[in-house]
Amino acid sequence: MATVHLRIGDLVWGKLGRYPPWPGKIVSPPKDLKKPRGKKCFFVKFFGTEDHAWIKVEQLKPYHPHKEEMIKINKGKRFQQAVDAVEEFLKKGKGKEQGSHCNSDDKKSTDSKGRKAPAKPMKIIEEDDEDPFKGGSSDKPASSMETISKRLKIIEEDTGSTSIQAADSTALNGSITPTDKRIGFLGLGLMGSGVVSNLLKMGHVVTVWNRTAEKCDLFIQEGARLGRTPAEVVSMCDITFSCVSDPKAARDLVLGPSGVLQGIRPGKCYVEMSTIDHETVTELSQVITSRGGRFLEAPVSGSQQVSNEGMLVILAAGDRSVYEDCSSCFQAMGKTSFFLVGEVGNAARMMLILNMVQGSFMATIAEGLTLAQATGQSQQTFLDILCQGQMASSFVDQKCQNILQGNFKPDYYLKHIQKDLRLAISMGDSVNHPTPMAATANEVYKRAKALDQSDNDMSAVYRAYIH
């Protein structure tokens, strides 16, 4: 193999762990950011993100000779936006400017289609390499994010209620100062796995537990510690998060044999991230606090992909001091977080409303696609038109493309969105509020479950219309 000579200013494809090669530019590292020992590597800033990292030479390829090859193996929308950003960068003749102007630092940068370039970072996990943003102080960037508690915005709603939103809590440039508190995490499903990976990447000390113990192995390799039971994790850690499938699983985790309640001691923090009903979360709060524990509910809005990218939206309610203690954790796992003022259960209510809307919308999209087919219209043309109108979104584009490709690999389980619809309808009943759209969508999802689609993605609701 011919030797490739790289230098500062070169455009490259950089490979990080499990993730596909991504376009970037070799730049000079900050003066106080030392190169990892024993590694021949370059410091790379990535297009379409605000991430940067040391990349080993063998994980780098020149941009132009390998462009077509890389485009063929990655069709993602964010990847295409990154490639568009490279081409725009080249068109504007910025190749000789400092690496700090590589993409999102320029607020006016746009992609080749005239859209505003994305300004949020993509969270990337290195499986095999030492992360230069972990470890000793000599390996950390010069500046770190301010904590959420110093950058809160108060949002007054028309109803007079108040919520508190963390002003863009995403970990810009990967520069989070991780809490010195010991973190526990229970539940390594589609959502929890991405959360734990991002906590580890950003330098948190994490102890994990999962009902299926084998799922812990990958995270142990990435530096996590193993807890044998939920009670042991809680007793070992200062803050323990849980993210499980439904209200029964959440109750069992706390109240069952060797459960959380057996490990709770005064001052221990428990954060419930599962999407469950407000009655269940209120019950869990009461039993945790009765033992002297501190409780926060913090369900998350997103999917497996969003979780992996550290771009979740976090809704929290309960103990405000726990919310502030979770500052660096929320920065690592999400792009923003909201503290909903009022009683425990408010976050659960809000999350069910959001998922009710999303689930009903997905069912309507599937209905539109099948009606287009039934009337002799092109489904692809329907999607193309839809994505140019006011309803255009990455959600619509991704879900419709998956349907057209017959790809129903779970990003958010169909059985879980049906559970959320059921809980939202029940919540509406409790306050005598009609939910006819959600009720209709719920029946369609139930039909899809009867067709053995439970463990497929929520977009598999499409199959309820064609069988």
Side-chain angles (χ1 to χ4, degrees), residues 273-276 297-302 313-316 340 345-357 412 420 424 427:
M273 303 189 78
S274 312
T275 300
I276 56 180
E297 60 166 332
V300 293
S301 178
V313 175
I314 301 149
L315 308 184
L340 306 181
N346 280 345
R349 293 183 181 96
M350 185 69 79
M351 186 58 64
L352 288 178
I353 295 168
L354 290 170
N355 284 1
M356 178 190 74
V357 172
Y412 193 96
D420 297 343
M427 182 171 68

Side-chain angles (χ1 to χ4, degrees), residues 195-206:
V195 169
V196 170
S197 288
N198 282 308
L199 287 172
L200 290 169
K201 179 197 171 187
M202 295 302 172
H204 295 85
V205 176
V206 185

Side-chain angles (χ1 to χ4, degrees), residues 2 17 27 45 56 98 151 171 285 318 332 352 368 376 388 399 435 438 454:
V27 299
K45 291 198 70 167
K56 293 190 294 186
Q98 295 180 353
R151 305 190 300 119
S285 173
L352 288 178
Q388 292 300 316
K399 295 303 182 186
T435 52
S454 290

Side-chain angles (χ1 to χ4, degrees), residues 320-370:
R320 172 67 182 278
S321 64
V322 178
Y323 175 72
E324 293 174 349
D325 285 345
C326 292
S327 170
S328 69
C329 296
F330 289 158
Q331 289 181 61
M333 67 180 75
K335 69 177 180 179
T336 194
S337 62
F338 293 80
F339 186 85
L340 306 181
V341 176
E343 63 183 3
V344 167
N346 280 345
R349 293 183 181 96
M350 185 69 79
M351 186 58 64
L352 288 178
I353 295 168
L354 290 170
N355 284 1
M356 178 190 74
V357 172
Q358 185 180 54
S360 300
F361 185 41
M362 182 71 252
T364 300
I365 292 171
E367 188 172 295
L369 281 168
T370 52

Side-chain angles (χ1 to χ4, degrees), residues 432-443:
N432 197 31
H433 184 82
T435 52
M437 301 298 119
T440 302
N442 187 46
E443 293 303 316

Side-chain angles (χ1 to χ4, degrees), residues 172-218:
L172 300 179
N173 297 322
S175 56
I176 287 176
T177 302
T179 179
D180 58 2
K181 297 182 184 298
R182 296 163 296 180
I183 304 301
F185 205 95
L186 311 175
L188 300 173
L190 293 184
M191 305 293 278
S193 294
V195 169
V196 170
S197 288
N198 282 308
L199 287 172
L200 290 169
K201 179 197 171 187
M202 295 302 172
H204 295 85
V205 176
V206 185
T207 300
V208 296
W209 175 90
N210 191 70
R211 184 172 57 181
T212 305
E214 290 76 15
K215 285 190 176 181
C216 297
D217 293 345
L218 174 63

Side-chain angles (χ1 to χ4, degrees), residues 5-13 24-29 41-47 55 60-61 97-99 102:
H5 297 284
L6 297 172
R7 60 186 180 182
I8 291 176
D10 285 352
L11 298 179
V12 293
W13 298 95
K25 181 180 178 182
I26 297 176
V27 299
S28 299
C41 52
F42 288 95
F43 194 74
V44 177
K45 291 198 70 167
F46 292 95
F47 285 84
I55 309 294
L60 293 171
K61 291 183 178 181
E97 291 184 11
Q98 295 180 353
C102 173

